[in-house]
Amino acid sequence: MLKPIAIFVASLILLVPVCLFAGYGIGEVIAALVYPPAPPATDVYREDRELFAGIYGILFIGGGLYVLCAAFAVFRLVGAIRRSRA
């Protein structure tokens, strides 16, 4: 009974950086499509791309990924508890 709970807590802790970096990466890809690349000397959209990736990527995409992964972890925890009681 203690092992599934420990795995659940560890997975929730490990999911935070994974979802954070995945959300930022996906936000960078979307920002590259929204703000066209410019030559390095006159890159006026660099801050906009970074802000877009930070806000939309981490906040919305990373947060959504975390909620989905946490819901799956809860589903696995409930299944493990039911199997141990049966």
Side-chain angles (χ1 to χ4, degrees), residues 3-16:
K3 183 180 175 183
I5 294 172
I7 292 173
F8 171 71
V9 171
S11 67
L12 288 183
I13 291 171
L14 290 175
L15 280 173
V16 171

Side-chain angles (χ1 to χ4, degrees), residues 37-65:
T42 62
D43 193 4
V44 295
Y45 293 121
R46 185 176 55 84
E47 288 93 10
D48 293 335
R49 280 194 299 272
E50 290 175 1
L51 184 66
F52 186 92
I55 292 176
Y56 290 107
I58 293 173
L59 185 66
F60 295 118
I61 297 170
L65 282 173

Side-chain angles (χ1 to χ4, degrees), residues 22-33 46 49-54 57:
Y24 187 79
I26 294 170
E28 278 285 337
V29 170
I30 294 172
L33 298 173
R46 185 176 55 84
R49 280 194 299 272
E50 290 175 1
L51 184 66
F52 186 92

